[in-house]
Amino acid sequence: MAATTFEMDGSIMEGGGQILRVSAALSCIQGASIKINNVRAGRSTPGLRPQHLSGLELVRDLCAGHLEGGEVGSTEITLTTGKIKGGDYTADTKTAGSVVLLMQVSLPCVLFADSPSVLCLKGGTNAEMAPQIDYTLTVFKPMVERFGVNFDCDLKMRGYYPKGGGEIIVKTNPVKQLTPVTLTERGTITKIYGRAFVAGVLPHKLAKDMSAAAVRYIRKEIKDLYINIQAVREKKDESFGNGNGIILIAESSTGCVFAASALGKKGVYADKVGCEAAEMLLRNTRHNGCVDEYMQDQMIIFMALAHGTSRIRTGPLTLHTQTAIHIAEQLTKAKFTVTKAEDQDSNEDTHIIECQGIGMTNASL
């Protein structure tokens, strides 16, 4: 099927796994082949890591394609794609590699399958350098559902660094087309809540300390909102290994959702973890944008594929967002423009990302 062959330099801009994920997904959806060289050249350990390889193998399986250079450490891959078929698929990083990043590469593809899909994804659910699964459920899911995406994500088991062992089941229905979104009115922050967690042998006091520190920190800046951050111990039969962390969520009067998170590490005080997440949340509410810095780049592929013009109000553009836009424009006919927001609620950090999407149509429906 793959008549077109794209080429992508994996060392550009963000220089990491995101280039692989966006490139592989867009190629798969358009039935094109892609060759990526200098894979993850911008990282301290260049080449494919287990989670990237699992993601590429999953995309290959979804479309009965062919993957060359598919081994850990490889710095050049070629993915030849076929027709995307619904069904049951499993991907296992066999490490603490992020299940959320496996979902990031596969979800856009299965939206253009010929029938519903069930993805069983195994690895880390609360991992460094990736969104936590709680973020996916509370922020990513409602945000992408605005594009007409319909999926369920069932958290079967939490898994932490270094063992992994987590598992999620993602069920999706295909779409004919994605609808464009307009997210330009932030409104006021009406609600802040979250959860601080410990798992395994770690003491519950860590969760309480993270929660209390986060509330104190937010209170310095936002004084009049009720803040509810639960301190929880994960159930033994729902978590594998030891871990601790916190996720904070803010909701606005117009239905925008923002989040921030931090994970505990050996030798780092629980208070510091709570304050780190709190500062991140406040930073993402100060710019008056409608998405946080982590959702920003995850919207790009859906904007590019949608039928019509999407407009999203954001804070400063992250390098991940700039990279996603670059790849989307290289591999599709989508056109993006980024301008500074010029209204009374904006500041020097507020931007509008606009995209004329390609109106990708699911030929199987």
Side-chain angles (χ1 to χ4, degrees):
M1 177 179 167
T4 314
T5 300
F6 295 128
E7 292 209 9
M8 185 59 65
D9 180 354
S11 68
I12 56 162
M13 301 173 82
E14 182 266 337
Q18 185 207 19
I19 296 171
L20 287 170
R21 288 187 292 277
V22 180
S23 301
L26 285 174
S27 302
C28 176
I29 290 164
Q30 296 181 100
S33 294
I34 184 143
K35 180 179 179 183
I36 306 172
N37 52 35
N38 299 319
V39 167
R40 294 183 70 254
R43 295 294 179 264
S44 55
T45 48
L48 292 180
R49 304 305 302 147
Q51 75 175 29
H52 308 109
L53 179 56
S54 302
L56 289 171
E57 288 172 342
L58 177 56
V59 173
R60 173 200 68 195
D61 295 347
L62 293 174
C63 65
H66 178 68
L67 177 65
E68 288 173 45
E71 55 264 341
V72 172
S74 174
T75 56
E76 185 172 303
I77 65 104
T78 302
L79 177 67
T80 310
T81 63
K83 191 172 186 294
I84 306 169
K85 294 233 177 276
D88 292 16
Y89 298 93
T90 299
D92 186 352
T93 66
K94 300 193 170 61
T95 64
S98 170
V99 294
V100 174
L101 296 182
L102 290 178
M103 189 175 99
Q104 232 178 63
V105 69
S106 55
L107 179 66
C109 302
V110 292
L111 295 176
F112 293 91
D114 59 355
S115 62
S117 304
V118 178
L119 309 174
C120 175
L121 309 177
K122 300 179 181 184
T125 58
N126 299 76
E128 285 283 5
M129 306 299 291
Q132 294 190 41
I133 187 61
D134 309 81
Y135 182 95
T136 303
L137 297 170
T138 52
V139 181
F140 176 82
K141 188 173 189 291
M143 284 300 196
V144 299
E145 283 176 342
R146 291 169 181 260
F147 290 96
V149 174
N150 181 2
F151 79 98
D152 285 316
C153 180
D154 188 10
L155 174 54
K156 292 289 187 196
M157 179 71 75
R158 290 177 181 272
Y160 312 99
Y161 181 82
K163 290 182 179 175
E167 181 180 336
I168 61 171
I169 306 285
V170 181
K171 296 178 180 175
T172 63
N173 288 316
V175 296
K176 183 69 181 169
Q177 275 189 326
L178 294 173
T179 50
V181 303
T182 300
L183 274 171
T184 52
E185 302 291 329
R186 207 269 319 252
T188 55
I189 300 298
T190 55
K191 203 171 172 186
I192 294 177
Y193 57 99
R195 73 196 298 271
F197 66 86
V198 291
V201 300
L202 299 176
H204 189 220
K205 183 181 184 308
L206 284 180
K208 290 178 179 170
D209 289 351
M210 287 186 288
S211 166
V215 171
R216 278 197 307 273
Y217 196 99
I218 294 167
R219 276 267 170 271
K220 289 187 213 161
E221 194 162 319
I222 300 175
K223 298 187 167 50
D224 51 353
L225 272 189
Y226 175 64
I227 301 169
N228 179 21
I229 302 167
Q230 293 175 308
V232 297
R233 168 175 289 292
E234 304 295 6
K235 292 182 183 137
K236 287 224 174 359
D237 59 349
E238 291 175 9
S239 60
F240 184 80
N242 305 316
N244 70 301
I246 185 168
I247 177 153
L248 307 174
I249 298 121
E251 290 182 10
S252 84
S253 54
T254 60
C256 298
V257 193
F258 311 85
S261 63
L263 288 171
K265 288 192 267 310
K266 209 170 181 176
V268 178
Y269 284 117
D271 293 35
K272 188 163 186 279
V273 180
C275 292
E276 183 190 329
E279 171 51 37
M280 190 187 291
L281 186 73
L282 292 172
R283 183 171 79 229
N284 279 290
T285 57
R286 288 178 193 130
H287 56 58
N288 272 309
C290 294
V291 294
D292 63 44
E293 63 194 284
Y294 302 100
M295 195 61 224
Q296 201 186 87
D297 67 282
Q298 295 181 74
M299 300 290 269
I300 299 302
I301 189 167
F302 298 99
M303 293 171 80
L305 294 167
H307 179 66
T309 305
S310 294
R311 295 182 82 237
I312 295 179
R313 183 185 179 93
T314 75
L317 256 62
T318 64
L319 183 55
H320 269 90
T321 299
Q322 293 168 37
T323 306
I325 289 173
H326 175 77
I327 297 167
E329 290 192 324
Q330 293 283 305
L331 302 187
T332 73
K333 291 189 165 67
K335 288 278 170 282
F336 284 85
T337 54
V338 179
T339 52
K340 287 220 164 180
E342 302 284 357
D343 56 73
Q344 67 211 33
D345 297 321
S346 61
N347 55 39
E348 69 275 9
D349 287 336
T350 321
H351 293 78
I352 303 283
I353 303 174
E354 190 169 309
C355 173
Q356 186 61 46
I358 62 172
M360 189 69 203
T361 302
N362 188 336
S364 301
L365 296 187

